């Protein structure tokens, strides 16, 4: 599995299609998965990572949602933390990890 991390609207999907044309690319970004607030966020992140990997995409796209202004809304803060922890789990499992900014990818694993 290849994990492609990016901010929103940074060209991650176009990057993935250009660089991994023979691979299946996730149709859903990690931050688009449904979630509910749970007491154990680590378990919630493990569960979300399992759902993402269950889709069997070769390339998984994940927006980095926790590197900006901290949301005042509790649900948005939880979502940012959940996606961040989920991306850490996915990165450990991935064969390659890329970060895309302004359409330019940099391999970090």
């Amino acid at each position: 599995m290849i994990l492609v991390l990016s901010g929103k609207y940074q060209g991650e999907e176009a990057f993935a299609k250009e660089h991994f044309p023979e691979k299946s690319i996730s149709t859903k970004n990690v931050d688009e998965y449904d979630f509910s607030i749970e007491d154990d966020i680590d378990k919630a992140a493990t569960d979300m990572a399992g759902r993402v990997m269950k889709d069997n995409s070769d390339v998984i796209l994940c927006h980095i949602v926790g590197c900006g202004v901290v949301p005042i809304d509790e649900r948005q803060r939880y979502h940012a933390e959940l996606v961040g922890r989920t991306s850490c789990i996915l990165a450990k499992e991935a064969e390659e990890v890329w970060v895309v900014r302004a359409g330019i990818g940099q391999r970090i694993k």
Side-chain angles (χ1 to χ4, degrees), residues 58-98:
D58 297 323
V59 180
I60 295 172
L61 306 177
C62 182
H63 290 140
I64 302 167
V65 294
C67 294
V69 176
V70 177
I72 196 165
D73 180 73
E74 178 184 355
R75 184 169 174 80
Q76 290 175 331
R77 282 195 311 272
Y78 183 91
H79 180 251
E81 181 72 22
L82 178 62
V83 171
R85 290 182 189 216
T86 301
S87 69
C88 290
I89 294 168
L90 295 171
K92 286 179 185 176
E93 296 295 321
E95 297 165 17
E96 298 178 24
V97 178
W98 292 78

Side-chain angles (χ1 to χ4, degrees), residues 1 4 16 22 26-28 34 37-39 45 49 51-53 55 58 61 65-66 69 76 84 89-90 92 100-101:
M1 176 253 294
V4 178
E22 72 288 350
S26 59
T27 57
K28 194 178 207 181
D34 292 329
I37 294 178
E38 297 180 25
D39 290 336
R51 286 188 287 146
V52 171
M53 289 188 283
D55 287 343
D58 297 323
L61 306 177
V65 294
V69 176
Q76 290 175 331
I89 294 168
L90 295 171
K92 286 179 185 176
V100 176
R101 292 191 180 114

Side-chain angles (χ1 to χ4, degrees), residues 32-47:
E32 296 172 334
Y33 279 78
D34 292 329
F35 73 98
S36 58
I37 294 178
E38 297 180 25
D39 290 336
D40 187 347
I41 194 166
D42 289 319
K43 181 184 177 311
T46 300
D47 292 347

Side-chain angles (χ1 to χ4, degrees), residues 5 15 31 54 68 72 84 105 107:
L5 302 164
F15 172 85
D31 75 326
K54 188 178 177 183
I72 196 165
R107 186 173 176 176

